[in-house]
Amino acid sequence: MVVSAMTDTPLDPTSLPLQPIAPDSSVRRFTKTFPTKLPPEVLWTEFTRTLSDSREGVLWANNISWIHALNAPLREGTVLAERMEPTGAVLHYRLMEFSPPKQLRYASLQGHPLAASATVSIEASEGGATLLWQGEYFGSETQLLGLDRIHAAFFSRFATQLQQLEAAR
């Protein structure tokens, strides 16, 4: 059995099933597009480095949450643990698809307050690349309103971090 410092529990998050969608859930879909002058391979490398451990990467909004892989290296089946600030709540996700250097897909695991899945893809564009982050969350309207606030802050910070990375290159 694995004991994770991020979970502070003897539960092995890698064995958790996906979080089921409650029958009375509402849905919130999102699409975020981040164009950049970074080459696609650099964007993929920086994004996946950040998922492996956001304290070592540069793209994550660490003031909102931090994330790391519990069973690195990143691959299909890897479990990510996200610690939310300031509460310290830990949310778990599993990589359902990992197709370097183009795309990954993740889904929330049991114990997450929302059933969620999202795809992050990176496409070459003229003079750089575009990161496309699309997903959907299922939960109560109250939960989804909270998610809206977190997403607004997170994706704003993510865009800022991406611009800083681009400027530093």
Side-chain angles (χ1 to χ4, degrees):
M1 185 173 336
V2 174
V3 178
S4 169
M6 284 201 55
T7 60
D8 299 324
T9 177
L11 178 68
D12 179 2
T14 61
S15 68
L16 292 174
L18 296 180
Q19 177 66 20
I21 298 171
D24 58 345
S25 291
S26 296
V27 64
R28 184 79 81 247
R29 290 180 176 85
F30 69 92
T31 299
K32 301 293 180 184
T33 305
F34 300 95
T36 179
K37 293 178 181 156
L38 295 171
E41 59 278 0
V42 170
L43 184 56
W44 177 264
T45 298
E46 291 300 333
F47 185 77
T48 56
R49 178 188 341 244
T50 297
L51 280 185
S52 293
D53 188 339
S54 66
R55 295 166 295 181
E56 302 295 324
V58 295
L59 291 176
W60 206 257
N62 286 324
N63 62 321
I64 295 168
S65 70
W66 56 276
I67 194 163
H68 92 245
L70 293 181
N71 52 338
L74 295 182
R75 64 187 179 282
E76 188 173 310
T78 296
V79 173
L80 304 171
E82 179 183 24
R83 183 179 294 275
M84 302 303 295
E85 295 298 336
T87 65
V90 178
L91 310 175
H92 293 101
Y93 303 88
R94 179 172 292 120
L95 290 178
M96 306 302 292
E97 175 188 346
F98 190 72
S99 304
K102 297 282 187 190
Q103 181 171 292
L104 62 84
R105 186 172 53 87
Y106 63 87
S108 61
L109 299 180
Q110 189 174 49
H112 193 293
L114 302 168
S117 66
T119 300
V120 178
S121 57
I122 295 175
E123 297 295 327
S125 58
E126 191 172 323
T130 299
L131 185 143
L132 180 63
W133 201 325
Q134 298 177 286
E136 57 187 10
Y137 283 77
F138 295 87
S140 70
E141 277 302 316
T142 301
Q143 290 172 313
L144 295 174
L145 287 173
L147 174 71
D148 290 344
R149 288 190 296 276
I150 291 168
H151 268 189
F154 176 85
F155 286 119
S156 173
R157 180 67 180 196
F158 183 87
T160 299
Q161 297 294 103
L162 182 58
Q163 289 169 349
Q164 289 175 356
L165 176 63
E166 186 179 73
R169 291 206 157 250

